[in-house]
Amino acid sequence: MTEEPARPRKLILYVAGQTPKSLAAIANLQRICAEKAPGRYEVEVVDLKKNPELAKAHSIVAIPTLVRELPVPIRKIIGDLSDEQKVLVHLKIGDE
């Protein structure tokens, strides 16, 4: 019996430069993924100061915003991700 390949999981964190809130969001996301779902998510950080056109293209209205693109449905959470339980429940990280 062969195992079905794991479905890809992808998180995208939209930030704007190296602000304290952006740096806190990056650190909090790295900590949450390492502690609660190690190796299960591909994380991409997108700096909207370098690529401002992506904000409109991806419907980002505030920063930092974390988007769980895969698995679907797409889920978003805004803020510095300091409330770990809110992140885990809202994005359903670790439930799959």
PDB file of all heavy atoms in Angstrom, residues 58-74:
ATOM      1  N   HIS A  58      -3.578  40.845  -4.318  1.00  0.00           N
ATOM      2  CA  HIS A  58      -3.924  39.802  -3.343  1.00  0.00           C
ATOM      3  C   HIS A  58      -4.908  40.295  -2.294  1.00  0.00           C
ATOM      4  O   HIS A  58      -5.078  39.644  -1.257  1.00  0.00           O
ATOM      5  CB  HIS A  58      -2.653  39.262  -2.690  1.00  0.00           C
ATOM      6  CG  HIS A  58      -1.745  38.568  -3.667  1.00  0.00           C
ATOM      7  ND1 HIS A  58      -1.832  37.228  -3.940  1.00  0.00           N
ATOM      8  CD2 HIS A  58      -0.769  39.046  -4.483  1.00  0.00           C
ATOM      9  CE1 HIS A  58      -0.930  36.903  -4.854  1.00  0.00           C
ATOM     10  NE2 HIS A  58      -0.278  37.988  -5.202  1.00  0.00           N
ATOM     11  N   SER A  59      -5.525  41.455  -2.531  1.00  0.00           N
ATOM     12  CA  SER A  59      -6.553  42.024  -1.643  1.00  0.00           C
ATOM     13  C   SER A  59      -6.047  42.200  -0.209  1.00  0.00           C
ATOM     14  O   SER A  59      -6.735  41.868   0.745  1.00  0.00           O
ATOM     15  CB  SER A  59      -7.812  41.162  -1.658  1.00  0.00           C
ATOM     16  OG  SER A  59      -8.306  41.030  -2.957  1.00  0.00           O
ATOM     17  N   ILE A  60      -4.849  42.747  -0.071  1.00  0.00           N
ATOM     18  CA  ILE A  60      -4.280  43.013   1.249  1.00  0.00           C
ATOM     19  C   ILE A  60      -4.615  44.453   1.609  1.00  0.00           C
ATOM     20  O   ILE A  60      -4.203  45.381   0.922  1.00  0.00           O
ATOM     21  CB  ILE A  60      -2.752  42.790   1.249  1.00  0.00           C
ATOM     22  CG1 ILE A  60      -2.408  41.367   0.785  1.00  0.00           C
ATOM     23  CG2 ILE A  60      -2.159  43.086   2.622  1.00  0.00           C
ATOM     24  CD1 ILE A  60      -3.005  40.260   1.629  1.00  0.00           C
ATOM     25  N   VAL A  61      -5.351  44.637   2.694  1.00  0.00           N
ATOM     26  CA  VAL A  61      -5.793  45.975   3.084  1.00  0.00           C
ATOM     27  C   VAL A  61      -5.084  46.480   4.335  1.00  0.00           C
ATOM     28  O   VAL A  61      -5.218  47.652   4.691  1.00  0.00           O
ATOM     29  CB  VAL A  61      -7.317  46.021   3.286  1.00  0.00           C
ATOM     30  CG1 VAL A  61      -8.029  45.738   1.973  1.00  0.00           C
ATOM     31  CG2 VAL A  61      -7.769  45.034   4.351  1.00  0.00           C
ATOM     32  N   ALA A  62      -4.375  45.622   5.043  1.00  0.00           N
ATOM     33  CA  ALA A  62      -3.645  46.020   6.248  1.00  0.00           C
ATOM     34  C   ALA A  62      -2.411  45.143   6.345  1.00  0.00           C
ATOM     35  O   ALA A  62      -2.355  44.047   5.786  1.00  0.00           O
ATOM     36  CB  ALA A  62      -4.527  45.838   7.474  1.00  0.00           C
ATOM     37  N   ILE A  63      -1.416  45.646   7.069  1.00  0.00           N
ATOM     38  CA  ILE A  63      -0.199  44.864   7.242  1.00  0.00           C
ATOM     39  C   ILE A  63       0.219  44.895   8.695  1.00  0.00           C
ATOM     40  O   ILE A  63      -0.045  45.879   9.388  1.00  0.00           O
ATOM     41  CB  ILE A  63       0.942  45.385   6.349  1.00  0.00           C
ATOM     42  CG1 ILE A  63       1.037  46.901   6.484  1.00  0.00           C
ATOM     43  CG2 ILE A  63       0.785  44.938   4.934  1.00  0.00           C
ATOM     44  CD1 ILE A  63       2.197  47.507   5.803  1.00  0.00           C
ATOM     45  N   PRO A  64       0.840  43.872   9.195  1.00  0.00           N
ATOM     46  CA  PRO A  64       1.087  42.604   8.515  1.00  0.00           C
ATOM     47  C   PRO A  64      -0.199  41.768   8.388  1.00  0.00           C
ATOM     48  O   PRO A  64      -1.059  41.821   9.251  1.00  0.00           O
ATOM     49  CB  PRO A  64       2.107  41.908   9.410  1.00  0.00           C
ATOM     50  CG  PRO A  64       2.021  42.563  10.737  1.00  0.00           C
ATOM     51  CD  PRO A  64       1.438  43.930  10.529  1.00  0.00           C
ATOM     52  N   THR A  65      -0.290  41.025   7.309  1.00  0.00           N
ATOM     53  CA  THR A  65      -1.388  40.091   7.080  1.00  0.00           C
ATOM     54  C   THR A  65      -0.797  38.723   6.757  1.00  0.00           C
ATOM     55  O   THR A  65       0.069  38.611   5.896  1.00  0.00           O
ATOM     56  CB  THR A  65      -2.277  40.541   5.904  1.00  0.00           C
ATOM     57  OG1 THR A  65      -2.910  41.772   6.237  1.00  0.00           O
ATOM     58  CG2 THR A  65      -3.345  39.497   5.587  1.00  0.00           C
ATOM     59  N   LEU A  66      -1.293  37.722   7.457  1.00  0.00           N
ATOM     60  CA  LEU A  66      -0.888  36.343   7.180  1.00  0.00           C
ATOM     61  C   LEU A  66      -2.002  35.656   6.414  1.00  0.00           C
ATOM     62  O   LEU A  66      -3.167  35.704   6.811  1.00  0.00           O
ATOM     63  CB  LEU A  66      -0.616  35.583   8.483  1.00  0.00           C
ATOM     64  CG  LEU A  66      -0.256  34.101   8.337  1.00  0.00           C
ATOM     65  CD1 LEU A  66       1.046  33.927   7.551  1.00  0.00           C
ATOM     66  CD2 LEU A  66      -0.146  33.449   9.704  1.00  0.00           C
ATOM     67  N   VAL A  67      -1.643  35.029   5.291  1.00  0.00           N
ATOM     68  CA  VAL A  67      -2.607  34.335   4.445  1.00  0.00           C
ATOM     69  C   VAL A  67      -2.240  32.864   4.381  1.00  0.00           C
ATOM     70  O   VAL A  67      -1.103  32.524   4.068  1.00  0.00           O
ATOM     71  CB  VAL A  67      -2.630  34.927   3.015  1.00  0.00           C
ATOM     72  CG1 VAL A  67      -3.605  34.167   2.129  1.00  0.00           C
ATOM     73  CG2 VAL A  67      -2.970  36.407   3.060  1.00  0.00           C
ATOM     74  N   ARG A  68      -3.210  32.013   4.705  1.00  0.00           N
ATOM     75  CA  ARG A  68      -3.020  30.572   4.484  1.00  0.00           C
ATOM     76  C   ARG A  68      -3.636  30.275   3.136  1.00  0.00           C
ATOM     77  O   ARG A  68      -4.845  30.262   2.976  1.00  0.00           O
ATOM     78  CB  ARG A  68      -3.698  29.745   5.571  1.00  0.00           C
ATOM     79  CG  ARG A  68      -3.346  28.249   5.428  1.00  0.00           C
ATOM     80  CD  ARG A  68      -4.186  27.357   6.272  1.00  0.00           C
ATOM     81  NE  ARG A  68      -5.493  27.235   5.620  1.00  0.00           N
ATOM     82  CZ  ARG A  68      -6.480  26.476   6.087  1.00  0.00           C
ATOM     83  NH1 ARG A  68      -6.339  25.832   7.206  1.00  0.00           N
ATOM     84  NH2 ARG A  68      -7.630  26.415   5.456  1.00  0.00           N
ATOM     85  N   GLU A  69      -2.770  30.064   2.138  1.00  0.00           N
ATOM     86  CA  GLU A  69      -3.262  29.805   0.772  1.00  0.00           C
ATOM     87  C   GLU A  69      -3.594  28.347   0.546  1.00  0.00           C
ATOM     88  O   GLU A  69      -4.519  28.032  -0.189  1.00  0.00           O
ATOM     89  CB  GLU A  69      -2.222  30.260  -0.246  1.00  0.00           C
ATOM     90  CG  GLU A  69      -2.171  31.750  -0.383  1.00  0.00           C
ATOM     91  CD  GLU A  69      -1.690  32.183  -1.750  1.00  0.00           C
ATOM     92  OE1 GLU A  69      -1.023  31.413  -2.439  1.00  0.00           O
ATOM     93  OE2 GLU A  69      -1.999  33.305  -2.123  1.00  0.00           O
ATOM     94  N   LEU A  70      -2.807  27.468   1.127  1.00  0.00           N
ATOM     95  CA  LEU A  70      -3.061  26.034   0.973  1.00  0.00           C
ATOM     96  C   LEU A  70      -2.964  25.381   2.330  1.00  0.00           C
ATOM     97  O   LEU A  70      -2.051  25.697   3.093  1.00  0.00           O
ATOM     98  CB  LEU A  70      -2.050  25.405   0.021  1.00  0.00           C
ATOM     99  CG  LEU A  70      -2.156  25.851  -1.427  1.00  0.00           C
ATOM    100  CD1 LEU A  70      -0.975  25.312  -2.222  1.00  0.00           C
ATOM    101  CD2 LEU A  70      -3.465  25.393  -2.038  1.00  0.00           C
ATOM    102  N   PRO A  71      -3.825  24.467   2.682  1.00  0.00           N
ATOM    103  CA  PRO A  71      -4.949  24.011   1.856  1.00  0.00           C
ATOM    104  C   PRO A  71      -6.072  25.047   1.831  1.00  0.00           C
ATOM    105  O   PRO A  71      -6.153  25.899   2.704  1.00  0.00           O
ATOM    106  CB  PRO A  71      -5.402  22.744   2.584  1.00  0.00           C
ATOM    107  CG  PRO A  71      -4.997  22.944   4.002  1.00  0.00           C
ATOM    108  CD  PRO A  71      -3.737  23.756   3.950  1.00  0.00           C
ATOM    109  N   VAL A  72      -6.911  24.957   0.811  1.00  0.00           N
ATOM    110  CA  VAL A  72      -8.044  25.857   0.675  1.00  0.00           C
ATOM    111  C   VAL A  72      -9.076  25.499   1.740  1.00  0.00           C
ATOM    112  O   VAL A  72      -9.115  24.345   2.195  1.00  0.00           O
ATOM    113  CB  VAL A  72      -8.650  25.782  -0.754  1.00  0.00           C
ATOM    114  CG1 VAL A  72      -7.702  26.406  -1.727  1.00  0.00           C
ATOM    115  CG2 VAL A  72      -9.015  24.378  -1.141  1.00  0.00           C
ATOM    116  N   PRO A  73      -9.935  26.353   2.188  1.00  0.00           N
ATOM    117  CA  PRO A  73     -10.124  27.721   1.708  1.00  0.00           C
ATOM    118  C   PRO A  73      -9.047  28.657   2.234  1.00  0.00           C
ATOM    119  O   PRO A  73      -8.439  28.410   3.269  1.00  0.00           O
ATOM    120  CB  PRO A  73     -11.489  28.092   2.285  1.00  0.00           C
ATOM    121  CG  PRO A  73     -11.589  27.313   3.552  1.00  0.00           C
ATOM    122  CD  PRO A  73     -10.888  26.013   3.262  1.00  0.00           C
ATOM    123  N   ILE A  74      -8.872  29.748   1.489  1.00  0.00           N
ATOM    124  CA  ILE A  74      -7.902  30.764   1.885  1.00  0.00           C
ATOM    125  C   ILE A  74      -8.392  31.425   3.163  1.00  0.00           C
ATOM    126  O   ILE A  74      -9.567  31.737   3.310  1.00  0.00           O
ATOM    127  CB  ILE A  74      -7.738  31.805   0.761  1.00  0.00           C
ATOM    128  CG1 ILE A  74      -7.062  31.160  -0.439  1.00  0.00           C
ATOM    129  CG2 ILE A  74      -6.935  33.013   1.253  1.00  0.00           C
ATOM    130  CD1 ILE A  74      -6.966  32.057  -1.662  1.00  0.00           C
TER     131      ILE A  74
END
